[in-house]
Amino acid sequence: MFEGIFTPIATPFSDDEGIDYEGMRHNLERWMKTDLEGLVVLGSNGEFVFLSEAEKEELVGWVVERVSGRKKVMAGTGCESTQATIELTRRMARLGVDAVLVLPPHYYRGRMTDEILYRHFTEVAEASSIPLFLYNMPANTGIHLSASLVARLSRHPNIVGIKDTSGNIVHLAEVVRDTADDFAVFAGNAGYLLPALALGAKGATLALANLLPEDCCRLYGWVREGRLEEAQRLQLRMLEINFLVTSGLGVPALKYAMDLLGYRGGSPRRPLRPLAESERKRVKEALVRYGALELDTPCSKEQGP
Amino acid sequence: MFEGIFTPIATPFSDDEGIDYEGMRHNLERWMKTDLEGLVVLGSNGEFVFLSEAEKEELVGWVVERVSGRKKVMAGTGCESTQATIELTRRMARLGVDAVLVLPPHYYRGRMTDEILYRHFTEVAEASSIPLFLYNMPANTGIHLSASLVARLSRHPNIVGIKDTSGNIVHLAEVVRDTADDFAVFAGNAGYLLPALALGAKGATLALANLLPEDCCRLYGWVREGRLEEAQRLQLRMLEINFLVTSGLGVPALKYAMDLLGYRGGSPRRPLRPLAESERKRVKEALVRYGALELDTPCSKEQGP
Amino acid sequence: MFEGIFTPIATPFSDDEGIDYEGMRHNLERWMKTDLEGLVVLGSNGEFVFLSEAEKEELVGWVVERVSGRKKVMAGTGCESTQATIELTRRMARLGVDAVLVLPPHYYRGRMTDEILYRHFTEVAEASSIPLFLYNMPANTGIHLSASLVARLSRHPNIVGIKDTSGNIVHLAEVVRDTADDFAVFAGNAGYLLPALALGAKGATLALANLLPEDCCRLYGWVREGRLEEAQRLQLRMLEINFLVTSGLGVPALKYAMDLLGYRGGSPRRPLRPLAESERKRVKEALVRYGALELDTPCSKEQGP
Amino acid sequence: MFEGIFTPIATPFSDDEGIDYEGMRHNLERWMKTDLEGLVVLGSNGEFVFLSEAEKEELVGWVVERVSGRKKVMAGTGCESTQATIELTRRMARLGVDAVLVLPPHYYRGRMTDEILYRHFTEVAEASSIPLFLYNMPANTGIHLSASLVARLSRHPNIVGIKDTSGNIVHLAEVVRDTADDFAVFAGNAGYLLPALALGAKGATLALANLLPEDCCRLYGWVREGRLEEAQRLQLRMLEINFLVTSGLGVPALKYAMDLLGYRGGSPRRPLRPLAESERKRVKEALVRYGALELDTPCSKEQGP
């Protein structure tokens, strides 16, 4: 059973674009001390599209070993072909992850009918020894997993949840309505964490939890406890910085914000580039307004609201 | 101060496409007995684009007279030109409506920059003796009123609220965050009533309230009282019928559903047409599943959940 | 039979937003001396959405009288309701226009199925004593008239052509393929005049012909004569200024460019506003590069290529 | 200097999803006898996203060896990361291809500004010993290479052309206008081959040329010779079958049409599936209407028009 807050971890790179395992170790140690329920490796925020097959295997193995069961670990395994997705899923299962998060194939989006996608996800689920989360991410894939498709797939015993990053709150509500109680609907962005939880989402996988894990967990707890007013205030406060590190300025902003708050974000791989000075200023000011950073102070803190 | 549930009333037409005032009278009597806070005349659900200037004036005058202060009345006055919008707004003010709901000009959508829209709405607000609600309706207009534009406009003393039918819940949250506490952010569709209220919306203007006014008011009350679980169940239950009478099948479905539940929906004006048989079946079955209609029973009831 | 170049005339307004008939007279005199085949009154470039019913009737009557049969005159009559479209069409027929140009109803775009649109246009065509042109203008209406709908409508004896401003050249080719030889497919924008004519379009209705009527007619003639190289050079040269006065900066730029070239463009009606200084500079420079305006010269000329 | 018609070759797979080199050999022999100027391996129609790194290298090597200089060979090398694109480009250069066709990175499309893309393509071009074609394919990538970006990139000596599959004919014209005479603008779809050539395109890379290579070359020749009427008739006739094998039904339809005309199309890799029976019927009937297939005849021919 999956619930609670997961963070899709950023992959810090050194200046020569190699994976910075020392930075990764540093981040892991901090996340381990939080209330996060789990981590997602090889997600969109982890720049999985820039990693080779060998790097993916090495990185996930490394994370699983260090987490060693203290938190759940998911790995992203969506590839364009069904066969490649199955093979990567199996490799991840062997490395010991708890579940895989599977993006739909999307290059031939015009052909990705519900039927094609149903067969794809079903074949992957059949071939996998570990549970599968669907990953609805229209902004990056151009494909929207319809509520009826998700409902149909949710009946497969090995498909246990969905990360929904569509931002369409009615769609999320329909998915909650049309899936069983133990199917884990997860919000995919902190911009609508409160409304998603209020509608019955079980948890969330949030880029923002890379840098503000405790506040994300706090908001989750407050909605669970019915403390709606406090939850609302925190939700509204989160919007600005969350926008910047996700749809606003993307992974480079996420990494820069992590750097500002004492994590190791590092550089993105090319073609992504570090933020321009004016963009860095926007991120810094948003963190100050949020209360996570003091003005003109290099170091940082994550404060309670 | 505006809050609570408003219904943007349908305009029943007789078979020769004339306004059916007898049907209107019947509907008004029922709505008057509910907890609805107010009515909106000349909204999208009222087929305002099909009414002549003379009909608009006659209809609003007729409604204002019959409501006679027992509930609030708003009227839609958005026209393409600033001058025409001002003139219609003034006529509506003279008829005694409590506020106007102003759709942005949208034919030249490519030119409708924030600056152009700011000047348009400001000039209308200046010229109006009664308060103005903004109306964000991208699905019909192709124009999205940005959160920063709404925030800027909200500072005008005569612009008191917004009906947001964008369905973008993060945008709605940003508008709540960036406007003063007494600015009335209204959800524009029952599909996201609960999440909007949970984020601080003050009320809602809901097509669904034409046929299920008490349930819409009930959901509103429950969120206010913090009864989140009951609200969630009702919200999920509402999704199907709400979808059909709004983005799914539109005004003809709204009118047919009203007919089924004992209101007088009547026919739409052309080019809109009454629902096809298969579409009527979908609406009927959704109302049965909702619990508002018994199977094979011509008459109806609106039940508590 | 309709063919050749038409210009959808701008409506000059004076500073108090009234129609400037003296400016209109001036423009008409110049257009009359060109090879233009006809004029379209009440089109998108004529700001028809800002004109009252009375102004529409007065303006078209005025133009028809002055043109007095020397060129063809069309009038735009698309309204949201079928009945209003029929009534306006009939009024225009009584005023003596040669054809009407009918935009589809579009406020309820989600309901504007091919079947709904087929019945709408057919009912208007039945009720009209003069021929009807379809007007496909997705950028402003959000509705695209499918090739199969156009083909079906083209079989009605009173539907004689289409102005296609979709910019989808494959769609335009499909419409040529699927309609009879005497159905007049017109390009709706000078950006693709050459390719449209090369594919079998019979003519064009071009905003650019307000200011560069002779060059538009020249390009038309060259393609007809098979002088493809000269046509290509002129087509490429036209792109920049055409972009600015249509999708780039819209009607205000069209009017300003007319002013620069000795026509009377005047101001747009609000909410549209005259161009900002930086925008005026872009238009002026484009006209200089085009060769229609000399640098730093207030007056102008339209040169041959 | 690149010009003329290229075909982005399909990759036939056997029933176990392996590459069918015997089918490939058969196809190559037929294409070698045509007027095609060249082949593109690892394009969208070649299902490159389903091929492993090893398969890509093996396949291109195999094709280069068999073509052995009789026609030009391009290879698609666009990957998400700049580094991976550089490495694949270098491997392809070592295998002896004449140019690479480089799709932009697109997973993080929200961050793919002109500046990011400019640096990406420039770095790949710098690192490559062979010329580079840009590949604009918004339908699959969600990214549109703006005319100003293409113009800027075209000034790099190693960036020699663009395959434009945007279908935006005005954009294509702007690219022709803004690039040097020896920059090869190629149409990316047979649906607008005639208009593209009429506007100055140098050639085309056409899925349709997999099955109707001679007719594609014939149309190319006719436009070059100024035989516009014949070209127009053939262009219109091509639309239907071209639509089906590209945006209509995609790669599975392309492969099925190839099978019908005596090529070896074979099955697509999963998640793509062979066409359903009703879809096969549409393709067959379109080929009959085109004149390339006789009714109820298993075998086929490509006829002159």
Side-chain angles (χ1 to χ4, degrees):
Chain A
M1 178 68 177
F2 292 84
E3 59 178 7
I5 304 297
F6 283 65
T7 188
I9 63 173
T11 308
F13 295 111
S14 47
D15 288 346
D16 65 352
E17 299 200 342
I19 298 178
D20 170 14
Y21 279 103
E22 175 52 29
M24 184 67 88
R25 189 196 53 71
H26 172 85
N27 294 344
L28 262 190
E29 280 179 14
R30 285 189 60 176
W31 291 323
M32 282 300 129
K33 295 175 189 153
T34 68
D35 290 327
L36 287 174
E37 178 73 14
L39 309 176
V40 180
V41 197
L42 309 183
S44 301
N45 295 289
E47 296 172 70
F48 78 99
V49 293
F50 300 153
L51 300 175
S52 71
E53 296 302 290
E55 287 175 322
K56 286 180 180 178
E57 198 146 353
E58 182 186 79
L59 177 62
V60 171
W62 189 95
V63 169
V64 168
E65 188 180 333
R66 263 143 207 86
V67 170
S68 67
R70 291 173 294 161
K71 293 192 183 296
K72 290 207 176 67
V73 177
M74 287 196 209
T77 62
C79 301
E80 283 293 333
S81 85
T82 303
Q83 195 51 45
T85 306
I86 287 172
E87 284 164 17
L88 186 56
T89 295
R90 284 175 168 162
R91 283 206 298 280
M92 293 301 136
R94 279 196 295 271
L95 291 171
V97 304
D98 298 287
V100 288
L101 178 64
V102 184
L103 202 67
H106 50 275
Y107 188 72
Y108 300 107
R109 66 193 59 171
R111 287 298 288 172
M112 292 299 111
T113 60
D114 274 15
E115 190 55 30
I116 288 269
L117 291 170
Y118 178 77
R119 294 175 70 176
H120 171 78
F121 281 116
T122 301
E123 289 176 2
V124 176
E126 292 292 336
S128 169
S129 58
I130 56 174
L132 183 159
F133 258 67
L134 306 170
Y135 187 5
N136 191 31
M137 180 48 145
N140 289 28
T141 65
I143 286 184
H144 181 63
L145 302 180
S146 73
S148 63
L149 171 62
V150 175
R152 209 174 145 208
L153 286 166
S154 76
R155 286 176 217 123
H156 192 288
N158 212 20
I159 299 179
V160 302
I162 183 170
K163 172 180 180 182
D164 194 307
T165 313
S166 71
N168 182 330
I169 201 74
V170 178
H171 174 258
L172 188 141
E174 288 172 341
V175 169
V176 169
R177 179 194 66 189
D178 296 340
T179 55
D181 274 353
D182 61 352
F183 186 78
V185 178
F186 272 37
N189 187 291
Y192 44 87
L193 178 55
L194 159 56
L197 294 170
L199 287 165
K202 294 283 193 304
T205 301
L206 307 173
L208 191 67
N210 271 289
L211 52 141
L212 296 170
E214 290 298 20
D215 282 357
C216 293
C217 294
R218 196 170 283 133
L219 177 42
Y220 172 78
W222 282 341
V223 180
R224 291 248 145 171
E225 297 161 23
R227 295 163 68 180
L228 210 52
E229 272 185 52
E230 288 149 301
Q232 183 195 318
R233 275 197 301 272
L234 180 52
Q235 175 68 80
L236 296 185
R237 194 154 62 90
M238 271 181 180
L239 294 176
E240 183 188 21
I241 182 60
N242 178 66
F243 169 74
L244 289 176
V245 302
T246 58
S247 50
L249 297 173
V251 171
L254 176 68
K255 292 185 140 182
Y256 178 65
M258 290 174 70
D259 284 338
L260 286 175
L261 298 188
Y263 290 90
R264 303 275 174 82
S267 295
R269 272 194 180 165
R270 290 171 299 151
L272 294 180
R273 308 278 170 175
L275 294 186
E277 178 55 35
S278 63
E279 296 168 323
R280 283 204 296 275
K281 192 156 172 282
R282 286 177 67 193
V283 172
K284 200 180 287 185
E285 289 174 355
L287 284 172
V288 169
R289 270 191 291 273
Y290 183 81
L293 195 67
E294 280 175 40
L295 206 54
D296 292 322
T297 306
C299 206
S300 69
K301 53 180 175 167
E302 185 187 345
Q303 299 179 316
Chain B
M1 176 69 177
F2 292 84
E3 60 177 7
I5 304 296
F6 283 65
T7 187
I9 64 174
T11 309
F13 296 111
S14 47
D15 287 347
D16 65 351
E17 300 199 342
I19 297 179
D20 171 13
Y21 279 102
E22 175 50 29
M24 185 67 89
R25 190 197 52 71
H26 172 85
N27 294 343
L28 262 190
E29 281 179 13
R30 285 190 60 177
W31 291 323
M32 282 301 128
K33 294 174 190 154
T34 67
D35 291 327
L36 286 174
E37 178 73 13
L39 309 176
V40 180
V41 197
L42 308 183
S44 300
N45 295 290
E47 296 172 70
F48 78 99
V49 292
F50 300 153
L51 300 175
S52 70
E53 296 301 290
E55 286 176 322
K56 286 180 180 178
E57 197 145 355
E58 182 187 80
L59 177 62
V60 171
W62 189 96
V63 169
V64 167
E65 189 181 333
R66 262 142 207 87
V67 170
S68 67
R70 290 174 294 160
K71 294 194 182 298
K72 290 208 176 66
V73 177
M74 286 195 210
T77 62
C79 301
E80 284 293 333
S81 83
T82 303
Q83 195 51 45
T85 306
I86 286 172
E87 283 163 19
L88 187 55
T89 295
R90 284 175 169 163
R91 282 206 298 280
M92 292 301 135
R94 281 195 293 272
L95 292 171
V97 303
D98 299 287
V100 288
L101 178 64
V102 184
L103 203 66
H106 50 277
Y107 188 72
Y108 301 107
R109 65 194 59 172
R111 286 298 290 172
M112 292 298 111
T113 59
D114 275 15
E115 190 55 31
I116 288 270
L117 291 169
Y118 177 78
R119 293 175 71 176
H120 171 78
F121 281 116
T122 300
E123 288 175 3
V124 176
E126 292 292 334
S128 170
S129 59
I130 56 174
L132 183 158
F133 257 67
L134 306 170
Y135 187 5
N136 191 30
M137 180 48 146
N140 289 28
T141 64
I143 286 185
H144 181 63
L145 302 180
S146 72
S148 63
L149 172 62
V150 174
R152 210 173 144 208
L153 286 166
S154 76
R155 286 176 217 125
H156 191 288
N158 212 20
I159 299 179
V160 301
I162 184 170
K163 172 180 180 182
D164 195 306
T165 313
S166 71
N168 182 331
I169 201 72
V170 177
H171 174 258
L172 188 141
E174 288 172 341
V175 170
V176 169
R177 179 195 64 188
D178 295 341
T179 55
D181 274 353
D182 61 353
F183 187 78
V185 177
F186 271 37
N189 187 291
Y192 44 88
L193 178 54
L194 160 54
L197 295 170
L199 286 165
K202 294 282 193 305
T205 301
L206 306 172
L208 191 67
N210 272 288
L211 54 141
L212 296 171
E214 291 298 21
D215 282 358
C216 292
C217 294
R218 197 169 282 132
L219 178 42
Y220 173 77
W222 281 342
V223 181
R224 291 247 146 172
E225 298 160 23
R227 295 163 69 180
L228 210 52
E229 272 184 53
E230 288 150 301
Q232 183 195 318
R233 274 197 303 272
L234 180 52
Q235 174 67 81
L236 296 186
R237 193 154 63 89
M238 272 181 179
L239 294 175
E240 183 188 21
I241 183 62
N242 178 65
F243 170 74
L244 289 176
V245 303
T246 57
S247 51
L249 298 173
V251 171
L254 175 69
K255 293 185 140 183
Y256 178 65
M258 290 174 71
D259 284 339
L260 287 176
L261 296 188
Y263 291 90
R264 303 276 174 82
S267 295
R269 272 195 179 163
R270 289 171 301 153
L272 294 181
R273 309 277 172 175
L275 294 187
E277 179 54 35
S278 63
E279 295 168 324
R280 284 203 296 274
K281 192 155 172 284
R282 287 177 67 192
V283 172
K284 200 180 288 185
E285 289 174 354
L287 283 172
V288 169
R289 269 191 293 273
Y290 183 81
L293 195 69
E294 280 175 37
L295 205 53
D296 292 322
T297 305
C299 207
S300 69
K301 53 178 175 168
E302 185 188 345
Q303 299 179 314
Chain C
M1 177 68 176
F2 291 84
E3 59 178 7
I5 304 297
F6 283 66
T7 187
I9 64 174
T11 308
F13 296 111
S14 46
D15 287 347
D16 65 352
E17 298 200 344
I19 297 179
D20 170 14
Y21 279 103
E22 174 52 27
M24 184 68 89
R25 189 196 53 70
H26 172 84
N27 294 342
L28 260 190
E29 280 179 15
R30 285 190 60 177
W31 291 322
M32 282 300 128
K33 295 175 190 153
T34 68
D35 291 327
L36 286 175
E37 178 72 14
L39 309 176
V40 180
V41 197
L42 310 182
S44 300
N45 295 290
E47 296 173 69
F48 79 99
V49 293
F50 300 153
L51 300 175
S52 71
E53 296 302 291
E55 286 175 322
K56 287 180 180 178
E57 199 146 352
E58 182 187 78
L59 177 63
V60 171
W62 189 95
V63 169
V64 167
E65 189 180 332
R66 263 141 206 87
V67 170
S68 68
R70 292 174 293 160
K71 293 193 183 296
K72 290 207 177 67
V73 176
M74 287 195 209
T77 62
C79 300
E80 283 293 334
S81 84
T82 303
Q83 195 52 45
T85 306
I86 287 172
E87 284 162 17
L88 187 55
T89 295
R90 285 176 168 162
R91 282 206 298 279
M92 292 301 135
R94 279 196 294 273
L95 291 171
V97 304
D98 298 287
V100 289
L101 178 65
V102 184
L103 202 67
H106 50 275
Y107 188 72
Y108 301 107
R109 66 193 57 172
R111 285 298 288 171
M112 292 299 111
T113 60
D114 275 15
E115 190 55 30
I116 289 268
L117 291 170
Y118 178 78
R119 294 176 70 177
H120 171 77
F121 282 115
T122 300
E123 289 176 2
V124 176
E126 291 292 335
S128 170
S129 58
I130 56 174
L132 184 158
F133 257 67
L134 306 170
Y135 187 4
N136 191 30
M137 180 48 146
N140 288 29
T141 65
I143 286 185
H144 181 62
L145 302 180
S146 72
S148 63
L149 173 62
V150 175
R152 210 174 144 207
L153 286 167
S154 75
R155 286 176 217 124
H156 192 288
N158 212 19
I159 299 179
V160 301
I162 183 169
K163 172 180 180 181
D164 195 306
T165 313
S166 71
N168 182 332
I169 201 73
V170 177
H171 174 257
L172 188 141
E174 290 172 339
V175 170
V176 169
R177 180 195 64 189
D178 294 342
T179 54
D181 274 353
D182 61 352
F183 187 79
V185 177
F186 271 37
N189 186 292
Y192 44 88
L193 178 54
L194 159 55
L197 295 170
L199 286 165
K202 294 281 191 308
T205 301
L206 306 173
L208 191 67
N210 272 288
L211 53 142
L212 296 171
E214 291 298 20
D215 282 358
C216 292
C217 294
R218 196 169 284 131
L219 178 43
Y220 172 77
W222 282 341
V223 181
R224 290 249 145 170
E225 298 160 23
R227 295 163 68 181
L228 209 53
E229 270 184 54
E230 286 149 302
Q232 184 195 318
R233 274 198 301 272
L234 180 52
Q235 174 68 79
L236 296 185
R237 193 153 63 90
M238 271 182 179
L239 293 176
E240 183 187 21
I241 182 60
N242 178 67
F243 170 74
L244 289 176
V245 302
T246 58
S247 51
L249 297 173
V251 170
L254 176 68
K255 294 186 139 182
Y256 178 65
M258 291 175 69
D259 284 338
L260 286 176
L261 297 187
Y263 290 90
R264 303 275 175 82
S267 295
R269 272 194 180 165
R270 291 171 301 152
L272 294 181
R273 308 278 170 174
L275 294 187
E277 178 54 35
S278 63
E279 296 168 323
R280 283 203 296 274
K281 192 153 170 285
R282 286 178 66 193
V283 172
K284 200 179 289 185
E285 290 174 353
L287 284 171
V288 170
R289 269 191 292 273
Y290 182 80
L293 195 68
E294 280 175 38
L295 206 54
D296 291 323
T297 305
C299 207
S300 70
K301 54 182 175 164
E302 186 185 345
Q303 300 179 316
Chain D
M1 178 68 177
F2 291 84
E3 60 178 5
I5 304 297
F6 283 65
T7 188
I9 65 174
T11 308
F13 295 111
S14 47
D15 286 348
D16 64 352
E17 300 200 341
I19 297 179
D20 171 13
Y21 279 102
E22 175 51 29
M24 185 66 90
R25 190 196 53 71
H26 172 86
N27 294 344
L28 261 191
E29 280 178 14
R30 285 191 59 178
W31 291 322
M32 282 300 127
K33 294 174 191 154
T34 67
D35 290 328
L36 287 174
E37 178 73 14
L39 309 177
V40 179
V41 197
L42 308 183
S44 300
N45 295 290
E47 296 173 70
F48 78 98
V49 292
F50 299 153
L51 300 175
S52 70
E53 296 302 292
E55 287 175 322
K56 287 180 180 179
E57 198 146 353
E58 182 186 79
L59 177 62
V60 171
W62 189 96
V63 169
V64 168
E65 187 180 336
R66 264 142 206 85
V67 170
S68 67
R70 290 174 294 160
K71 292 192 183 298
K72 290 209 176 67
V73 178
M74 285 195 211
T77 62
C79 300
E80 284 293 333
S81 83
T82 303
Q83 194 53 44
T85 306
I86 287 172
E87 284 164 17
L88 187 55
T89 295
R90 285 175 167 163
R91 282 206 298 279
M92 293 301 136
R94 280 195 294 272
L95 291 171
V97 304
D98 298 287
V100 288
L101 178 64
V102 184
L103 203 67
H106 49 276
Y107 188 73
Y108 300 107
R109 66 193 58 171
R111 285 298 288 171
M112 292 299 110
T113 59
D114 275 15
E115 189 55 30
I116 288 269
L117 290 170
Y118 177 78
R119 293 175 71 176
H120 171 77
F121 282 115
T122 301
E123 288 175 3
V124 175
E126 292 291 336
S128 171
S129 58
I130 56 174
L132 183 159
F133 257 68
L134 305 170
Y135 187 5
N136 191 29
M137 180 47 147
N140 288 29
T141 64
I143 286 185
H144 181 62
L145 303 180
S146 72
S148 62
L149 172 63
V150 175
R152 209 173 144 207
L153 286 167
S154 75
R155 287 177 217 124
H156 191 287
N158 211 19
I159 299 180
V160 300
I162 183 169
K163 173 180 179 181
D164 195 307
T165 313
S166 71
N168 182 332
I169 201 73
V170 177
H171 174 257
L172 188 141
E174 289 172 339
V175 170
V176 169
R177 180 195 62 188
D178 296 341
T179 53
D181 274 353
D182 62 352
F183 187 78
V185 178
F186 272 37
N189 187 292
Y192 44 87
L193 178 54
L194 159 54
L197 295 170
L199 286 165
K202 294 282 193 305
T205 301
L206 307 173
L208 191 68
N210 272 289
L211 52 142
L212 296 171
E214 291 297 21
D215 282 358
C216 292
C217 294
R218 197 169 283 131
L219 178 43
Y220 173 77
W222 282 341
V223 181
R224 290 247 146 171
E225 297 160 23
R227 295 164 69 181
L228 210 52
E229 271 184 54
E230 287 150 301
Q232 184 195 319
R233 275 198 301 273
L234 180 52
Q235 175 67 79
L236 296 185
R237 193 153 63 89
M238 272 182 178
L239 294 175
E240 184 188 20
I241 183 60
N242 178 66
F243 170 73
L244 289 176
V245 302
T246 57
S247 51
L249 297 173
V251 170
L254 175 68
K255 293 186 139 183
Y256 178 65
M258 290 175 71
D259 284 339
L260 286 176
L261 297 188
Y263 290 90
R264 303 276 175 81
S267 296
R269 272 195 179 164
R270 289 173 300 153
L272 294 181
R273 308 278 171 174
L275 294 187
E277 179 54 34
S278 63
E279 296 169 323
R280 284 203 296 272
K281 192 154 170 286
R282 286 177 68 192
V283 172
K284 200 180 289 184
E285 290 174 354
L287 283 172
V288 169
R289 269 191 292 273
Y290 183 81
L293 194 68
E294 281 175 37
L295 206 54
D296 293 321
T297 306
C299 206
S300 70
K301 54 182 174 164
E302 185 187 345
Q303 300 177 315

